[in-house]
Amino acid sequence: MRIDVFTLVPHAFAWLTEQRPIAGVLGGELELRLFNFRDTTPLRAGQVDDEPYGGGAGMVLRVDVVAAALDAVYGGATDHRVIALTPQGRQLNQSVVEELADESPLTLLSARFEGFDERIVQHLCSDAISIGPYVLSNGDLPAMVLIDAVARRLPGALAEGSVELESFSAELGGRLEYPHYTRPAEFRGWKVPDVLLSGDHARIDAWRREHVR
Ligand SMILES: C[S@@+](CC[C@H](N)C(=O)[O-])C[C@H]1O[C@@H](n2cnc3c(N)ncnc32)[C@H](O)[C@@H]1O
C-alpha cells in the first residue's frame, strides 16, 4: 500500500515512522511518501497561505499552492482517493479505516492555522475526514492517526489474528474487547479473575465472550 502525505512539516512524521508496527511494514507492505507544500509553491519566499477574504484571524492554505503540489507529484488529475484532513470531514471510525485499508494509493492533505481554502476540499479532494469532534492545531496528528489505524492492518504489521479479534472488529460484533490481565495474579489485593488462571480454554473463551463490552 502507498500513502502520500502533503504537509508543511514532513519531519513531524519521523516519530511515526520509527515506531512499530509502522516501522515494521515501511519499505515493504507500506510505502509512505512525504511532500512539503513549500517545495512546489508557485509563490515567492516559500509562501503557502494567505489572509482570509472577508477578514478575520489566521491564515488559509492556498488552492494554487495545493494544486501545484499535487500536479508536481501526479502530473494532473488524480484517479485515486485524495483526502483532506479537516474537522468538517466525515468522522473516522473503524469501518472508515477498513474502507481506506482496501485502497492504494491514498493521498492525505494536512493544513494548519485556519485550514484549507474551501476550493481545495471541493475540487482537489475526493474525501474529507475528521478524526473527532475537536480542533487540533494542524492535520499532521490526524494524518498519523489515520496512517497508524490503516497500516496496522497490513500483513506483517501485527501478530496473526490480532486485528481480527479486537475492539470494533466484526468478530466482536463491533463492540469493545474484553479486559486483559497479566502477572502478578494478585496485586494490592486486586485479583485476576480465577477463570483466567484455570487453563480451561473453553471457560476462558466463554468468560471473554461474556465480557465483550
Ligand atoms: C486549527 S485547524 C482549523 C480549524 C478550522 N478553522 C475550524 O474551525 O474548523 C487547522 C487544521 O488542522 C487539521 N485539523 C484540526 N482538527 C482536526 C480534526 N479534528 N480532524 C482532522 N483534521 C483536523 C485540519 O487540517 C485543519 O485545517
Side-chain angles (χ1 to χ4, degrees):
M1 171 173 208
R2 195 184 82 213
I3 303 181
D4 294 340
V5 183
F6 291 77
T7 170
L8 288 163
V9 196
H11 65 261
F13 291 77
W15 174 85
L16 177 78
T17 58
E18 287 161 4
Q19 309 300 313
R20 289 182 65 83
I22 306 301
V25 288
L26 265 182
E29 290 289 335
L30 177 65
E31 184 187 359
L32 180 64
R33 304 195 304 177
L34 301 166
F35 300 101
N36 191 333
F37 289 121
R38 286 194 204 286
D39 290 344
T40 47
T41 179
L43 308 173
R44 278 189 296 172
Q47 185 187 347
V48 292
D49 41 23
D50 225 319
E51 294 160 357
Y53 280 125
M59 299 291 273
V60 177
L61 187 58
R62 286 177 54 137
V63 63
D64 50 350
V65 168
V66 174
L70 294 173
D71 284 352
V73 174
Y74 305 120
T78 47
D79 56 2
H80 64 272
R81 202 188 296 235
V82 177
I83 302 169
L85 292 156
T86 165
Q88 286 80 36
R90 63 189 177 123
Q91 205 155 309
L92 189 65
N93 59 26
Q94 195 62 23
S95 72
V96 175
V97 167
E98 284 166 28
E99 173 191 324
L100 299 178
D102 281 340
E103 289 186 29
S104 177
L106 286 178
T107 292
L108 310 181
L109 304 185
S110 165
R112 62 174 185 170
F113 300 137
E114 276 309 307
F116 298 102
D117 181 307
E118 188 62 19
R119 292 167 291 184
I120 297 168
V121 183
Q122 280 183 352
H123 301 292
L124 300 178
C125 296
S126 46
D127 202 351
I129 290 183
S130 162
I131 64 160
Y134 43 80
V135 179
L136 296 162
S137 307
N138 58 63
D140 296 322
L141 284 171
M144 286 189 250
V145 166
L146 196 155
I147 293 166
D148 184 277
V150 167
R152 67 191 295 284
R153 306 184 61 78
L154 293 173
L158 296 174
E160 213 169 301
S162 297
V163 297
E164 284 77 21
L165 191 71
E166 64 178 1
S167 297
F168 313 113
S169 62
E171 183 74 15
L172 296 184
R175 294 161 67 197
L176 299 173
E177 202 184 41
Y178 44 79
H180 294 286
Y181 299 88
T182 187
R183 295 183 182 88
E186 182 173 347
F187 180 70
R188 296 184 179 166
W190 307 325
K191 288 185 170 174
V192 172
D194 286 341
V195 59
L196 298 180
L197 309 176
S198 69
D200 181 337
H201 290 292
R203 280 182 60 219
I204 292 171
D205 200 42
W207 183 91
R208 286 180 167 166
R209 298 261 160 209
E210 260 170 45
H211 288 80
V212 168
R213 294 167 269 191

